[in-house]
Amino acid sequence: SQQGEEDPQALSIQEGENATMNCSYKTSINNLQWYRQNSGRGLVHLILIRSNEREKHSGRLRVTLDTSKKSSSLLITASRAADTASYFCATARSYNTDKLIFGTGTRLQVFP
Amino acid sequence: NAGVTQTPKFQVLKTGQSMTLQCAQDMNHEYMSWYRQDPGMGLRLIHYSVGAGITDQGEVPNGYNVSRSTTEDFPLRLLSAAPSQTSVYFCASSRPKGGLFFGEGSRLTVL
């Protein structure tokens, strides 16, 4: 069974706009991670946020985590056509990331 | 740096055939894992390993075997292929507390 569910399933925006994707999960976690997958390629790790953190930034990415609501959001600011990809959240129940449970993903399309 | 290398990239099997998907990493990562990705299902964990000689089952292990004789290699064996195993398979490696590094995937079709 999937631990994470992303919302929306698909998102289309224009270049320069911000894109927000949400992830909800079911059980307690140690950390939550976001990955990007370009069409036909492997996943690329974007950012990891631990359960005792509320917000984290990396370049144009901003991730928030609300453990009381069991939810996280990924914000991509000033999006570019190159950001077109699928984005997945993944949760780890232990401090070690040996077993990640992935969500079903959000497909982001950024139009130039 | 090659990172995580998977072979083959594409494979077509007939029902009942066996095969091995190869995975190698050159980052000296302790952890390695295999996932399958099906449309609308996200990634599901098949087997994982926290070090040489140590393996364990993930969410969907049936029909697959793994072994980890070295830190670098983590092959996935399909014992008797079934159409339900048609999927894209991803191998990943990581340090214990870091993000996963993924290979480019192996696309398997079972007829």
Side-chain angles (χ1 to χ4, degrees):
Chain A
S1 62
Q2 301 294 142
Q3 161 77 308
E5 296 290 336
E6 280 93 336
D7 170 58
Q9 288 188 327
L11 179 62
S12 295
I13 59 174
Q14 297 289 133
E15 262 191 335
E17 294 180 338
N18 295 341
T20 300
M21 289 158 268
N22 302 296
C23 169
S24 60
Y25 56 92
K26 300 173 184 174
T27 63
S28 62
I29 62 171
N30 175 276
N31 66 81
L32 185 144
Q33 304 177 30
W34 284 92
Y35 288 81
R36 183 188 75 235
Q37 183 180 34
N38 290 87
S39 181
R41 305 296 298 275
L43 283 76
V44 175
H45 179 254
L46 296 176
I47 198 164
L48 182 155
I49 186 166
R50 300 209 179 272
S51 59
N52 60 353
E53 298 174 307
R54 291 296 166 258
E55 188 170 311
K56 209 163 183 180
H57 296 255
S58 177
R60 293 184 295 112
L61 306 181
R62 173 180 169 250
V63 168
T64 62
L65 178 64
D66 187 336
T67 53
S68 67
K69 295 181 179 178
K70 292 187 170 58
S71 68
S72 174
S73 68
L74 170 67
L75 168 68
I76 303 174
T77 59
S79 62
R80 306 165 182 168
D83 295 327
T84 294
S86 290
Y87 292 81
F88 295 88
C89 68
T91 55
R93 297 191 67 180
S94 71
Y95 198 65
N96 294 325
T97 54
D98 51 350
K99 291 188 291 184
L100 291 187
I101 305 298
F102 281 82
T104 51
T106 292
R107 292 187 308 279
L108 173 66
Q109 176 84 49
V110 182
F111 292 99
Chain B
N1 267 348
V4 178
T5 302
Q6 291 184 232
T7 56
K9 288 185 169 44
F10 300 93
Q11 183 72 49
V12 179
L13 290 179
K14 294 181 179 178
T15 296
Q17 287 184 317
S18 62
M19 77 156 299
T20 299
L21 300 177
Q22 302 291 344
C23 176
Q25 53 98 3
D26 62 359
M27 297 173 283
N28 202 30
H29 284 168
E30 296 93 324
Y31 290 3
M32 296 187 74
S33 50
W34 277 101
Y35 290 83
R36 59 177 288 173
Q37 184 176 32
D38 301 295
M41 297 287 291
L43 279 77
R44 291 181 291 169
L45 181 63
I46 304 171
H47 284 286
Y48 66 99
S49 168
V50 298
I54 306 169
T55 64
D56 206 345
Q57 297 181 349
E59 184 185 355
V60 287
N62 292 340
Y64 307 95
N65 270 357
V66 292
S67 59
R68 183 99 179 268
S69 56
T70 67
T71 299
E72 294 79 19
D73 300 299
F74 192 43
L76 178 71
R77 281 181 284 277
L78 281 71
L79 308 173
S80 178
S84 60
Q85 293 178 305
T86 292
S87 188
V88 182
Y89 292 85
F90 288 98
C91 178
S93 73
S94 71
R95 300 200 186 284
K97 299 174 179 57
L100 270 59
F101 289 78
F102 281 85
E104 290 297 305
S106 296
R107 286 148 184 82
L108 175 67
T109 301
V110 183
L111 303 175

